């Protein structure tokens, strides 16, 4: 029984046409929508693009609407016309957003750090993993130091603090300036090791002074005690050490690791819900801030200086620091490596998510920059979790910026606290849009800065966060390139002695007869340099 040739295919194949050898071949049918200009396809693409960037569009719209609403209320009389009660009610949706962000700090810190630290198995990582983590740690510290240095040099919040007297905190400044350096350092160490973990969620340790008369002279005596404010530094250190301890337990700790992983995933769902409420809160935060201000022009000036400070820091770290590290260790052109990952960097700018850019980054470093698959798939997922250079730089700039807004001086111990907290909190940080703002709230709590000025950061975070994501994924890619160079050097040094050792220990007569397995062993014995090179390379990769 002979089947009839197909006359048409509903899935896009036309009728079969006979070829030269008499075998019928299915020909793809022409899309009738293509002849009409592809209107339906373009509409679907626009709809998908809008749906993918809906949160960004809503955030930008909320910022514009908040500025317009704030200017309108200021023109109608501003804060004096509204009165304190109506002004508080006007800013209440923004206050609700800040309360939600503070609420999520504790579960975000504990669960994300325990999950991130427990996912790094030291025995599985070995020497390569140790070098990778060291590279991520050093680059994150450099980015944090660069952010603090730029913010202290450019001083984006000083003009606002000197003009608007509503942000004064002279009493706290005087109290902090009189604190001894040794006592500040000891308080830092005391907070790293809290005496009570439950109390660390509410209080931190601080040294105060009182004057006492001893032997007829007035002496300043230090008195330590608990003060209001979450001890973020102690929780961060405990969470990291606890995660490493869970990994050391082996199979017995897997159940608890899975619990914290699920807890972390649930926390990320809560974060995503909060981010969908963020446009509403941002609208009223921006409007309320404009209504409260005496000189609105100063607001746009300091925000412009803040954005410039962040973008300048990202450009210096991404175009000078990271390429210089890559060149010093590999002696290769770093900008050629950067050119190979431009597609992934553009995707990072568009999605503002390092996790969403991960698959495309793997493809770019493997196909364009010659990184082996087992290396890229080892280091890039770790980097998406651990390496947050851009976020650390932005958070340090924002912390110094908010301190300048509130006229609070930052001594050496507070600067060290900002650097350590920004670096440690980047481990397991959310690789999602606006995830760095949550970590910024952690840093502000660590150094005792008010969180209400996060509204200014949220107003421009939709732009700064995209630059952060580009720097984050760029650091991951350079880490993969450095690891590939290290592996190439070690293999080139040890490949020939290993083959000679195998040849001398195992007689050729005892080897199984298989061309696939014999070729690498026979190559040093007189094989031509180009004869079995491809086969040897393929089997070394496998």
């Amino acid at each position: 029984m002979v089947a009839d040739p197909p006359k048409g295919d509903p899935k896009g194949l036309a009728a079969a046409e006979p070829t030269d050898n008499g075998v019928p071949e299915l020909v793809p049918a022409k899309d009738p929508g293509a002849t009409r200009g592809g209107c339906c396809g373009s509409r679907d693409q626009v709809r998908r693009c809008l749906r993918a960037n809906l949160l960004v569009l809503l955030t930008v719209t909320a910022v514009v609407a908040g500025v317009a609403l704030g200017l309108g209320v200021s023109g109608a009389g501003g804060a004096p016309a509204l009165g304190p009660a109506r002004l508080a009610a006007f800013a209440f949706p923004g206050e609700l957003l800040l309360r939600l962000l503070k609420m999520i700090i504790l579960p975000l810190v504990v669960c994300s750090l325990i999950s991130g630290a427990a996912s790094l198995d030291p025995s599985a990582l070995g020497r390569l993993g140790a070098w990778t983590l060291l590279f991520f740690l050093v680059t994150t510290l450099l980015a944090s130091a660069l952010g603090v240095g730029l913010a202290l040099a450019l001083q984006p919040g000083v003009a606002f603090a000197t003009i608007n007297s509503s942000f004064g905190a002279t009493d706290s400044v005087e109290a902090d300036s009189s604190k001894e350096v040794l006592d500040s350092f000891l308080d830092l160490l005391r907070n790293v090791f809290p005496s009570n973990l439950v109390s660390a969620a509410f209080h931190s340790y601080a040294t105060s002074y009182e004057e006492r008369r001893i032997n007829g002279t007035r002496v300043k005596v230090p008195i330590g005690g608990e003060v209001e404010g979450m001890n973020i530094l102690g929780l961060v250190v405990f969470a990291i050490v606890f995660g490493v301890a869970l990994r050391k337990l082996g199979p017995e700790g897997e159940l608890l690791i899975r619990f914290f992983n699920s807890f972390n995933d649930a926390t990320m769902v809560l974060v995503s819900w909060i981010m969908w409420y963020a446009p509403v809160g941002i609208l009223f935060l921006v409007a309320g801030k404009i209504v409260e201000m005496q000189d609105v022009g100063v607001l746009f000036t300091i925000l412009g200086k803040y954005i410039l400070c962040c973008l300048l820091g990202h450009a210096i770290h991404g175009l000078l620091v990271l390429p210089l590290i890559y060149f010093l260790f590999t002696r290769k052109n770093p900008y050629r490596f950067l050119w190979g990952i431009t597609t992934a960097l553009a995707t990072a700018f568009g999605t503002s998510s390092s996790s969403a850019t991960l698959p495309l980054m793997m493809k770019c470093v493997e196909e364009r920059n010659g990184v082996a698959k087992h290396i890229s798939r080892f280091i890039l997922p770790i980097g998406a979790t651990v390496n947050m250079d851009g976020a650390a730089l932005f958070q340090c700039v924002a912390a110094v910026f908010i301190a300048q807004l509130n006229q609070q001086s930052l001594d050496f111990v507070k600067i060290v606290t900002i650097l350590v907290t920004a670096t440690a909190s980047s481990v397991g940080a959310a690789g999602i849009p606006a995830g760095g703002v949550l970590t910024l709230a952690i840093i502000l709590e660590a150094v005792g800065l008010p969180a209400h000025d996060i509204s200014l950061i949220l107003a421009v975070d939709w732009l700064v966060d995209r630059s952060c994501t580009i720097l984050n994924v760029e650091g991951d890619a350079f880490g993969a390139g450095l690891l590939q160079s290290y592996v190439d050097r070690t293999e080139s040094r040890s490949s020939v002695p290993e083959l000679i050792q195998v040849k001398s220990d195992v007689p050729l007569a005892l080897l199984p007869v298989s061309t696939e397995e014999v070729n690498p062993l026979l190559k040093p014995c007189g094989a031509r340099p180009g004869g079995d090179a491809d086969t040897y390379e393929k089997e070394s990769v496998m």
Side-chain angles (χ1 to χ4, degrees):
M1 180 177 180
V2 179
D4 296 331
K7 298 178 181 179
D9 187 34
K11 295 184 179 180
L13 297 177
E17 296 182 0
T19 57
D20 296 336
N21 57 4
V23 179
E25 181 180 0
L26 293 177
V27 180
K30 294 182 179 181
D31 186 9
T35 59
R36 295 195 299 267
C39 297
C40 296
S42 61
R43 288 177 182 174
D44 292 339
Q45 292 177 357
V46 171
R47 191 179 297 111
R48 286 195 298 269
C49 181
L50 290 176
R51 188 181 298 119
N53 298 281
L54 181 60
L55 184 59
V56 177
L57 295 176
L58 289 176
T59 304
V60 175
T61 304
V63 171
V64 176
V67 171
L69 180 61
L71 292 177
V73 175
S74 297
L82 285 178
R86 292 181 180 178
L87 184 61
F90 179 76
F92 176 73
E95 179 189 351
L96 201 59
L97 175 62
L98 295 179
R99 294 178 69 88
L100 290 173
L101 292 175
K102 290 181 179 179
M103 176 194 69
I104 209 69
I105 287 177
L106 183 60
L108 184 70
V109 169
V110 175
C111 298
S112 64
L113 289 180
I114 290 178
S115 177
S119 64
L120 304 177
D121 187 2
S123 61
L125 294 180
R127 182 180 296 179
L128 297 182
W131 282 111
T132 301
L133 295 180
L134 180 62
F135 168 76
F136 288 157
L137 177 64
V138 170
T139 54
T140 305
L141 278 175
L142 288 176
S144 302
L146 178 61
V148 172
L150 282 176
L152 292 176
L154 298 180
Q155 297 183 343
V158 170
F160 178 79
T162 55
I163 292 179
N164 198 337
S165 59
S166 62
F167 290 94
T170 56
D171 295 337
S172 62
V173 173
E174 292 176 359
D176 289 340
S177 61
S178 62
K179 194 171 184 179
E180 298 292 337
V181 177
L182 178 61
D183 291 329
S184 299
F185 184 73
L186 293 179
D187 287 347
L188 177 66
L189 294 180
R190 292 187 185 106
N191 287 320
V192 167
F193 304 102
S195 59
N196 191 331
L197 285 176
V198 178
S199 176
F202 308 100
H203 303 287
S204 59
Y205 190 92
T207 300
S208 59
Y209 301 95
E210 69 175 19
E211 291 186 354
R212 295 179 182 177
R213 186 175 297 275
I214 301 176
N215 297 329
T217 59
R218 300 179 64 89
V219 179
K220 187 170 64 172
V221 179
I223 300 175
E226 302 288 337
V227 296
E228 289 292 333
M230 190 183 302
N231 183 7
I232 294 294
L233 202 57
L235 295 176
V236 164
V237 173
F238 172 79
I240 294 177
V241 175
F242 189 71
V244 174
L246 284 179
R247 175 54 64 184
K248 292 291 289 184
L249 287 178
E252 297 178 357
E254 288 295 330
L255 182 61
L256 201 53
I257 291 176
R258 287 199 298 267
F259 166 77
F260 281 108
N261 287 336
S262 301
F263 207 137
N264 189 38
D265 294 339
T267 305
M268 290 299 104
V269 173
L270 293 178
V271 169
S272 65
W273 291 350
I274 293 174
M275 286 300 105
W276 280 108
Y277 174 74
V280 179
I282 290 173
L283 189 152
F284 288 96
L285 281 172
V286 173
K289 186 67 67 177
I290 291 177
V291 171
E292 292 175 0
M293 291 189 60
Q294 300 175 359
D295 190 354
V296 180
V298 178
L299 173 65
F300 298 103
T301 302
I302 62 171
L303 285 181
K305 292 180 67 175
Y306 164 73
I307 295 175
L308 174 64
C309 192
C310 290
L311 296 183
L312 180 62
H314 289 159
I316 293 175
H317 192 76
L319 297 178
L320 295 178
V321 177
L322 289 178
L324 180 61
I325 295 175
Y326 180 81
F327 173 76
L328 291 177
F329 284 93
T330 64
R331 299 298 177 180
K332 296 179 181 178
N333 187 356
Y335 300 103
R336 183 177 300 173
F337 187 92
L338 269 179
W339 179 254
I341 59 173
T342 49
T343 305
L345 297 181
T347 305
F349 181 83
T351 61
S352 186
S353 172
S354 56
S355 301
T357 316
L358 183 59
L360 185 59
M361 179 60 76
M362 287 182 178
K363 182 180 176 65
C364 289
V365 298
E366 290 169 7
E367 296 181 357
R368 298 185 181 179
N369 291 329
V371 178
K373 288 184 177 180
H374 68 280
I375 291 179
S376 67
R377 296 177 186 183
F378 163 75
I379 190 173
L380 292 181
I382 295 178
T385 304
V386 177
N387 187 37
M388 297 289 175
D389 294 353
L393 191 149
F394 137 74
Q395 290 154 9
C396 291
V397 171
V400 178
F401 170 69
I402 291 176
Q404 293 170 355
L405 288 182
N406 293 273
Q407 295 181 345
Q408 293 192 15
S409 61
L410 296 175
D411 55 11
F412 177 74
V413 175
K414 286 189 176 181
I415 291 177
V416 172
T417 304
I418 292 175
L419 295 178
V420 173
T421 310
T423 303
S425 58
S426 66
V427 179
I432 59 173
V437 177
L438 300 172
T439 313
L440 175 61
I442 298 172
I443 298 174
L444 296 181
E445 286 283 345
V447 293
L449 292 173
H452 60 80
D453 287 323
I454 291 183
S455 57
L456 298 175
I457 308 301
L458 285 170
V460 295
D461 184 66
W462 60 274
L463 175 62
V464 177
D465 188 50
R466 297 174 182 275
S467 178
C468 292
T469 308
I470 292 177
L471 192 57
N472 291 340
V473 299
E474 180 188 343
D476 300 343
F478 272 120
L482 284 171
L483 189 58
Q484 179 66 50
S485 176
Y486 175 78
V487 170
D488 291 342
R489 281 194 305 234
T490 54
E491 286 184 352
S492 63
R493 293 173 185 173
S494 60
S495 59
V496 175
E498 286 179 358
L499 291 177
I500 294 175
Q501 184 70 23
V502 170
K503 173 177 172 293
S504 59
D505 290 346
V506 183
L508 293 177
L510 299 179
L511 292 174
V513 182
S514 173
T515 56
E516 292 287 330
E517 298 293 338
V518 170
N519 281 339
L521 296 177
L522 292 180
K523 180 182 176 183
C525 300
R528 291 189 305 270
D532 292 325
D534 295 335
T535 305
Y536 178 72
E537 181 181 358
K538 182 191 299 184
E539 293 188 349
S540 65
V541 171
M542 294 297 291

